[in-house]
Amino acid sequence: MSQHQEKARIIRFEQLSEFNIRITLEAPLIAGSAEAGQFVMIRTGPGQDPLLRRPFSLHQTSSSGHIQIFFKNVGRGTNILAHAKVGEILDVFGPLGRGFSVADDRPACLIGGGLGIAPMLFLAKIVSSLSREHGQDLIILGGRTREDVEPLVEDFRQFGLALHCATDDGSYGLKGFVTDILRSEQLAANTRIYGCGPDNMLEVLHRFSTERKLDCQVSVESVMACGMGACLGCNLDASDGSYVHVCIDGPVFDTRELSWNS
Ligand SMILES: Cc1cc2nc3c(=O)[nH]c(=O)nc-3n(C[C@H](O)[C@H](O)[C@H](O)COP(=O)(O)OP(=O)(O)OC[C@H]3O[C@@H](n4cnc5c(N)ncnc54)[C@H](O)[C@@H]3O)c2cc1C
Ligand code: FES
């Protein structure tokens, strides 16, 4: 699979809520070769500060050569991006890693928690383009409050898939967790679950899918320096006692490939 380094112009900047931001970039080479679940490494500033690129899931791509990232301002790099302006050029490298393996012969259940919603929009587009003969597809989105979820809901609705939302404080959708909604759904026995979100959510998905004998793929995060398998900074324990590199073996894994705490 080919990777590209592109000087990508910011063509849209959306402040979706106080801390959540979406940026649209012109990056035709990356847009043309990306798969849902893959990520890009972005040099957030024009100089050497911060030195390392930062990883971001591909939130959306378009046939017109655009890519989107959706992120929260949490530190040095994301704070610089949070103050970027339309017209600025960012150095973007990707697409990187292993994305979701989408089954076209079984129903899909997409679950995004918090910033884990980011890769789900791209995945929803892929899933919605497949035949519906395999059964009902489902999207479950969650966050701490309304502002983590509501600004993205219309973008998901365009795909016409069943959509449920949950917030920790009950300010939008069900009061509770995305996994509460998952447990209340009648899922077909061959449903494949696709998840991205906080570690504890991914662990619940692993336990749930193991109990129900369902396929489950999750996109995991780790701190990354190179994004290309060279620095060993992103190791995670694998279920067979070895380890995996999140950047090249993932970020998407079948949950059975990983070692979980319980
Ligand atoms: C494959 C992958 C995809 C990602 N996709 C997205 C995305 O779509 N949207 C998004 O907002 N973020 C995403 N992240 C996380 C994002 O890369 C970090 O938030 C970002 O690197 C922080 O950079 P910073 O310079 O702003 O923060 P720093 O100043 O480097 O750190 C600020 C704080 O964030 C913590 N932190 C840094 N990196 C991570 C991380 N990877 N996971 C958890 N905590 C971290 C640090 O420990 C510190 O407390 C992704 C990470 C990976 C590995
Ligand atoms: S980030 Fe360097 S090996 Fe994965």
Side-chain angles (χ1 to χ4, degrees):
M1 187 166 305
S2 55
Q3 278 112 30
H4 311 278
Q5 183 170 356
E6 294 200 84
K7 299 290 181 197
R9 183 181 304 279
I10 299 176
I11 57 166
R12 193 165 179 210
F13 183 99
E14 297 168 86
Q15 186 81 44
L16 296 180
S17 62
E18 186 180 356
F19 296 108
N20 292 338
I21 293 153
R22 181 159 63 184
I23 289 180
T24 307
L25 296 147
E26 269 175 349
L29 298 176
I30 295 172
S33 55
E35 293 172 6
Q38 289 189 297
F39 66 101
V40 288
M41 296 289 283
I42 299 185
R43 192 176 295 289
T44 55
Q48 295 296 304
D49 176 30
L51 184 62
L52 300 173
R53 293 168 185 268
R54 299 295 194 249
F56 296 94
S57 301
L58 282 156
H59 178 56
Q60 191 61 280
T61 64
S62 75
S63 53
S64 48
H66 300 160
I67 63 169
Q68 285 185 328
I69 58 164
F70 168 65
F71 65 96
K72 197 180 273 286
N73 178 355
V74 295
R76 178 77 186 134
T78 48
N79 189 46
I80 295 171
L81 282 183
H83 293 91
K85 300 276 181 292
V86 169
E88 272 180 40
I89 305 288
L90 295 177
D91 185 329
V92 185
F93 185 59
L96 295 163
R98 177 174 67 164
F100 291 103
S101 164
V102 183
D104 57 7
D105 58 350
R106 47 175 72 201
C109 177
L110 280 57
I111 306 180
L115 288 166
I117 294 175
M120 291 301 155
L121 191 63
F122 192 172
L123 185 60
K125 183 168 78 174
I126 304 297
V127 167
S128 69
S129 70
L130 301 174
S131 154
R132 295 288 170 75
E133 286 165 17
H134 54 247
Q136 168 88 32
D137 299 311
L138 174 66
I139 304 175
I140 307 174
L141 305 179
R144 287 193 190 144
T145 67
R146 170 184 286 270
E147 63 173 18
D148 288 336
V149 180
E150 189 181 28
L152 295 161
V153 161
E154 280 311 309
D155 293 312
F156 280 91
R157 285 220 170 103
Q158 67 179 305
F159 300 119
L161 307 179
L163 175 67
H164 298 290
C165 300
T167 46
D168 297 358
D169 65 358
S171 55
Y172 193 80
L174 177 95
K175 183 175 192 307
F177 301 127
V178 284
T179 45
D180 297 331
I181 297 178
L182 177 67
R183 285 199 189 91
S184 70
E185 289 293 318
Q186 301 287 332
L187 299 178
N190 62 343
T191 300
R192 179 172 289 174
I193 296 172
Y194 304 87
C196 185
D199 290 347
N200 51 358
M201 176 194 126
L202 301 187
E203 184 149 4
V204 173
L205 294 187
H206 170 60
R207 276 193 265 120
F208 177 86
S209 58
T210 304
E211 280 160 28
R212 304 278 183 105
K213 298 186 170 51
L214 299 171
D215 271 6
C216 182
Q217 296 177 13
V218 292
S219 177
V220 302
E221 281 193 14
S222 74
V223 174
M224 284 187 184
C226 71
M228 302 177 62
C231 73
L232 309 183
C234 64
N235 289 358
L236 275 188
D237 291 333
S239 52
D240 64 1
S242 66
Y243 62 86
V244 290
H245 295 310
V246 173
C247 65
I248 50 172
D249 301 320
V252 176
F253 295 91
D254 184 307
T255 60
R256 290 167 292 205
E257 292 177 273
L258 300 175
S259 168
W260 301 89
N261 292 330
S262 52

